[in-house]
Amino acid sequence: MNKANFILLATLVILGFHQVCNGANPDTCVSGPWHKPKPTQEGADYVECLSWKSMSCCTANFTKELAANKVLNLYNFRWNHCGNISQACETFIKDEECFYQCEPNLIYYNPAEANDTVRDVPICASYCNAWFEACKDDQTCVEDWQKDFAYIAGIYTCPASSMCKTYAEWYKNGKGLCDKMWGRSFKYEESDNCMLMTFNSSKGNPNTKVMPRTSSADFNSVVPALLEIVCILTAALLSECL
């Protein structure tokens, strides 16, 4: 290999490593009635889900509706289907809705067979635990909010055979909540390679740096491997230049 080609190859590998480690903004969004075709910046009429105002997959009209009526008109569904819920719990549920509708990086967890849903999005364990603590004394009537509600007279509601129980009874802990509340959409992630459902947007979107994978082992092995390749190429490049 001549020196020019070697330098080009080394540059491409290093750039690829940089992109894997630092993330790249996706140019398309998960499909859905409240999703935009691609993420864009929003303006003054974007009134909820402010973590994503600078780069969002959800429409301003969605945020207005969420702020005014929660999800009643969006999905014919009430978060307080088992009576009033605490403000702390409602905030986490609203943040989940914002996350699903507005987060651009969910496109990496949207397999073709899932249509407009996502699969196995890694949610930070600390976030799941905080969500559980906020909601553990509130009540719901089903375990899986994605498929277990009954659709009666145009409204998603508790099945006739169901019983309202606390989140603590349904999910036991933060892991149970994230792994079960929305079917296979999310998973409890103990490594640092995990997403948050709300964040301080002035510091950028931390979810951009999360690398999709099937297991913690995949992530823990790929970065050292890439580092080793970069080191080998750097050493070889230096020897070519000397």
Side-chain angles (χ1 to χ4, degrees):
M1 181 185 297
N2 63 45
K3 186 178 295 184
N5 288 338
F6 187 88
I7 292 173
L8 176 61
L9 176 60
T11 301
L12 290 173
V13 170
I14 293 170
L15 287 174
F17 175 73
H18 175 80
Q19 182 168 338
V20 166
C21 290
N22 293 286
N25 291 324
D27 59 4
T28 188
C29 297
V30 174
S31 63
W34 300 104
H35 287 93
K36 297 183 291 189
K38 62 181 181 180
T40 58
Q41 186 173 5
E42 288 293 334
D45 55 349
Y46 188 92
V47 296
E48 278 283 8
C49 310
L50 298 181
S51 292
W52 292 274
K53 188 173 183 178
S54 63
M55 189 60 63
S56 175
C57 274
C58 62
T59 65
N61 284 339
F62 163 78
T63 68
K64 290 178 181 178
E65 182 60 40
L66 186 66
N69 301 300
K70 301 172 186 176
V71 293
L72 180 59
N73 295 331
L74 294 170
Y75 305 123
N76 297 321
F77 176 64
R78 292 183 175 88
W79 294 331
N80 58 346
H81 46 269
C82 279
N84 292 333
I85 62 173
S86 66
Q87 185 60 54
C89 184
E90 182 176 294
T91 296
F92 274 91
I93 297 173
K94 181 173 68 176
D95 287 343
E96 184 280 329
E97 186 63 32
C98 288
F99 176 72
Y100 171 69
Q101 297 289 349
C102 309
E103 173 57 61
N105 294 287
L106 291 185
I107 191 64
Y108 301 127
Y109 301 86
N110 178 225
E113 69 273 13
N115 297 319
D116 61 347
T117 61
V118 293
R119 291 283 185 271
D120 297 328
V121 180
I123 307 301
C124 295
S126 59
Y127 187 90
C128 294
N129 294 339
W131 188 355
F132 176 78
E133 287 300 315
C135 293
K136 64 183 180 181
D137 295 324
D138 292 281
Q139 293 192 330
T140 184
C141 59
V142 300
E143 181 179 76
D144 185 344
W145 281 31
Q146 199 168 60
K147 68 178 184 179
D148 288 350
F149 285 104
Y151 190 66
I152 301 172
I155 296 288
Y156 285 98
T157 188
C158 295
S161 59
S162 67
M163 178 183 300
C164 289
K165 298 189 293 186
T166 65
Y167 280 59
E169 292 175 292
W170 282 110
Y171 304 116
K172 309 302 182 187
N173 50 40
K175 177 173 170 46
L177 188 150
C178 278
D179 287 351
K180 298 177 181 179
M181 186 173 177
W182 291 101
R184 290 184 54 198
S185 298
F186 310 126
K187 67 175 184 177
Y188 185 88
E189 180 57 54
E190 295 183 272
S191 79
D192 292 336
N193 191 57
C194 61
M195 292 195 179
L196 297 171
M197 294 187 177
T198 187
F199 49 86
N200 182 350
S201 60
S202 68
K203 299 180 180 179
N205 184 345
N207 299 331
T208 300
K209 296 184 179 181
V210 177
M211 190 177 76
R213 68 192 191 286
T214 56
S215 71
S216 297
D218 295 336
F219 179 72
N220 292 335
S221 62
V222 72
V223 171
L226 284 171
L227 278 171
E228 183 177 358
I229 292 171
V230 170
C231 290
I232 291 171
L233 285 172
T234 301
L237 179 59
L238 288 171
S239 67
E240 285 276 340
C241 293
L242 293 176

